[in-house]
Amino acid sequence: MSIFNRNKKSKLSNLLFRNYILSYLITTFILMITAFILIIIAAYLYMDDEYLVDNASTYMKDDYTQIDISKLVEKGGYMDIVNDKGDVIYSKGSRPNDKTNYSTKDFSIVFSSNYYDGFDSKYIYKTEYNEDKNFLLVIGIPKDQQSPIIKPKRRMKPRSFVIFSLTLSLLVFLISFIIYSKTSSRAFIKPLKALMEGVKRVSNGDYSTRIYLKSNNEFGELRDAFNTMAEKIEEQERLNIKSEEMRRRLILDISHDLKNPLSSILGYSDLLLKQNDLSSEEIDRYLLIINNNSIRANGLIQDLFDFSKLQSNDFKLTFNKVDMCEFLREIIAEYIPELEEKGFTYDFDIPEESVYLQVDEKHLMRAFRNIISNSLKYNPPGTSLLIRAYKSENKFLVKIKDNGIGIPKELKEDIFQPFTRVDSSRNSKSGGSGLGLTITKDIIEKHNGTIGLNCDTNKGSEFTIYFSII
């Protein structure tokens, strides 16, 4: 992954921070609107509506001398304090008369606040009785000053307003919290659901499951890790199925390949034991058949042994420092007589300079011999064989090429699998063990090398082997 891509990758912490900032801005905006609404409500509750002072309890005090009616006095109003005998024991303001005692009729007028020509008919009266001090507060309000004598009306007590404000603020906070939690949880719940669904499907054996999730944060990394894991499990499952199939096929192939030579050996040996009148020529011919089939069975068993040995985790190669150019020349020298005997033409291009590698000579020689022997075994006279080696940067390459019957393209990959043959008839004339190239590939890979094949039917075969120069 490039540095550019890493820098672009976001984090969940960044997402949560952005959501927090968004929630903060929304909360601030809502609180500003709430404050504005509360101001309007407060103005409505305390200032918008006014009414005539029609409740004497507003002015009531136990010490009636401290009662403030200055605003009423300014408008021509007055106040009387009357005891339980009807006597006026204290007064303030512009009284319309000098009465010192309230009669029953006066009380009736005051309580009913009706017009009365003989007693202050120009006033409206409001009263309040103080039980603790046993006096009656009488307030006289001029009728012509009724409208100007006003004060704000409290429709809600300050305590109730504070409770209302706190409740509204709490509601705003809860709304903001819900918005923040919903916004943040959406970033968690959807990816978690997708991941959990993927885990369930994989646990149920659906290894083709992949999670498709648009995310550049940690959930994106988890998605990639999950998909990589699922891909590896799916690949391993395919390999397990293929391995099981190969195991079954291996058993069948071994049984088949051993059955033919052993049947011949048993058959002809039994014939030799039971027939006493055989000629020496027949005996020699039967013994030759027995010997050839014994060699074939022994070769198959040896290949199976080598194949099993290479597959074992306990198997270790013995490495030594070897000049690969001289090593290849020694192998080629062994095959020159056979090449000439079978009418092959050949060309070898091996560098004079030494190239040293750490190799197991015995096993690596087996790998090269398998390739060269196959070319000799399956190609007709006149086939040209080229073996070339050269050094390229930190690689040592060996090419073994012929222009013979070739290998079909469709077998290019499978040819290195056990018991894969170009000739599927598996007859004794053309068939080897089917393990030679498998063993070759295993040996080369245990040398940290690779082998590739370029081939086609009737166009020859070219094996390219790469070794790393350390």
Side-chain angles (χ1 to χ4, degrees), residues 180-412:
Y180 175 75
S181 61
K182 289 291 185 182
T183 304
S184 300
S185 63
R186 190 181 299 112
F188 287 89
I189 293 175
K190 184 178 179 181
L192 287 175
K193 283 184 177 179
L195 289 168
M196 287 302 300
E197 181 63 26
V199 170
K200 288 180 181 178
R201 291 175 63 183
V202 169
S203 64
N204 290 331
D206 185 4
Y207 304 123
S208 63
T209 299
R210 299 292 183 272
I211 294 177
Y212 301 98
L213 182 65
K214 293 182 179 179
S215 177
N216 291 323
N217 52 38
E218 286 84 349
F219 281 117
E221 295 178 358
L222 190 57
R223 169 205 61 205
D224 295 340
F226 178 91
N227 289 340
T228 300
M229 177 198 70
E231 184 177 348
K232 289 182 177 179
I233 293 175
E234 185 179 22
E235 178 63 22
Q236 187 61 46
E237 183 67 13
R238 282 199 298 266
L239 290 175
N240 290 340
I241 294 173
K242 188 174 183 180
S243 176
E244 180 62 22
E245 179 61 31
M246 287 175 59
R247 186 187 66 82
R248 289 195 296 265
R249 194 182 74 179
L250 183 63
I251 294 173
L252 290 173
D253 287 342
I254 292 172
S255 301
H256 185 279
D257 285 2
L258 285 174
K259 180 181 178 181
N260 288 339
L262 291 177
S263 296
S264 296
I265 292 170
L266 290 172
Y268 285 103
S269 62
D270 185 62
L271 183 62
L272 288 172
L273 290 172
K274 292 180 179 180
Q275 296 289 336
N276 297 322
D277 56 346
L278 295 175
S279 64
S280 60
E281 290 82 2
E282 289 177 320
I283 293 173
D284 291 340
R285 181 161 58 87
Y286 295 157
L287 288 174
L288 180 62
I289 293 174
I290 291 173
N291 183 66
N292 288 337
N293 280 282
S294 298
I295 293 172
R296 183 183 173 196
N298 183 69
L300 176 60
I301 293 171
Q302 184 61 47
D303 284 346
L304 283 171
F305 174 76
D306 291 340
F307 173 72
S308 299
K309 181 176 65 175
L310 289 167
Q311 299 299 312
S312 173
N313 293 328
D314 298 328
F315 175 73
K316 302 293 182 183
L317 295 174
T318 302
F319 291 101
N320 295 299
K321 188 176 181 180
V322 174
D323 179 2
M324 287 298 296
C325 297
E326 184 62 29
F327 176 74
L328 288 172
R329 280 192 284 267
E330 290 177 5
I331 296 175
I332 292 169
E334 296 178 8
Y335 283 95
I336 289 178
E338 187 176 354
L339 288 168
E340 292 178 348
E341 181 184 345
K342 292 192 173 183
F344 274 58
T345 60
Y346 51 86
D347 184 16
F348 309 128
D349 183 7
I350 310 298
E352 293 296 329
E353 61 176 318
S354 298
V355 178
Y356 289 96
L357 296 177
Q358 292 289 334
V359 301
D360 184 313
E361 293 180 80
K362 176 183 176 183
H363 289 90
L364 190 59
M365 187 173 291
R366 170 73 184 278
F368 283 112
R369 282 173 174 171
N370 285 342
I371 299 174
I372 298 172
S373 295
N374 281 349
S375 182
L376 285 165
K377 183 186 295 184
Y378 297 111
N379 290 312
T383 300
S384 176
L385 177 65
L386 168 65
I387 300 177
R388 182 186 176 210
Y390 59 95
K391 180 180 177 182
S392 176
E393 296 181 352
N394 62 338
K395 300 284 186 182
F396 182 73
L397 285 74
V398 180
K399 290 183 179 291
I400 302 175
K401 180 180 180 181
D402 65 54
N403 61 351
I405 62 173
I407 299 172
K409 282 185 177 181
E410 57 269 19
L411 293 179
K412 182 177 179 180

Side-chain angles (χ1 to χ4, degrees), residues 11-27:
K11 300 292 184 182
L12 284 175
S13 57
N14 296 338
L15 175 63
L16 293 175
F17 180 73
R18 287 198 303 269
N19 290 345
Y20 174 79
I21 294 298
L22 177 62
S23 176
Y24 173 79
L25 293 175
I26 293 174
T27 303

Side-chain angles (χ1 to χ4, degrees), residues 52 113 120-126 139-143 146:
L52 179 66
S113 192
D120 307 335
S121 59
K122 296 181 180 180
Y123 290 84
I124 294 176
Y125 300 97
K126 304 298 176 184
I139 294 177
I141 305 169
K143 290 182 179 179
Q146 178 179 346

